[in-house]
Amino acid sequence: MEEVVQPKVYVRTCIVLLALLALMLALLALSWAIAYVDLGPFNLIVALAVAIAKAIVIALFFMHIKGSSRLLHFAAVAGIIWLLFLISLTLGDYISRGWVPLNH
């Protein structure tokens, strides 16, 4: 026999999802506003911080990593480490291109 879910569970879930949606919209508005403000070299840093905050919210709540098993936490961390590894390889290639003289 299936367990009956109380309506208050659905109401709470709806409220939490609406709050998360409001948070995501606020972060989107912040990203948009940062694009029009001249912060000098800090534009990239602030934009990346907002993007990382959005990614964390999406991973924790919408991908259900928060409150899940340790195996899923391990998989998420392994994915982040793999991403950082690939970015470091790409940056290493990009940075080293100017070091080798080209023979024409």
Side-chain angles (χ1 to χ4, degrees):
M1 192 161 208
E2 292 186 26
E3 180 181 336
V4 176
V5 179
Q6 298 295 322
K8 66 180 178 180
V9 173
Y10 291 119
V11 171
R12 285 186 200 156
T13 304
C14 181
I15 290 170
V16 169
L17 287 175
L18 287 173
L20 286 173
L21 178 64
L23 175 64
M24 293 304 291
L25 289 175
L27 288 173
L28 175 66
L30 182 63
S31 296
W32 179 76
I34 288 170
Y36 291 102
V37 176
D38 185 23
L39 298 175
F42 295 107
N43 266 13
L44 178 65
I45 295 170
V46 174
L48 285 175
V50 171
I52 289 170
K54 284 194 256 186
I56 289 171
V57 168
I58 289 170
L60 288 179
F61 297 104
F62 293 116
M63 295 174 68
H64 302 286
I65 291 179
K66 184 177 185 202
S68 63
S69 67
R70 288 186 182 259
L71 181 61
L72 191 57
H73 290 188
F74 175 74
V77 170
I80 292 169
I81 290 171
W82 183 249
L83 175 67
L84 293 174
F85 176 71
L86 291 177
I87 289 173
S88 69
L89 288 176
T90 303
L91 287 176
D93 177 51
Y94 179 74
I95 291 170
S96 67
R97 287 183 183 212
W99 296 353
V100 179
L102 297 176
N103 296 329
H104 292 286

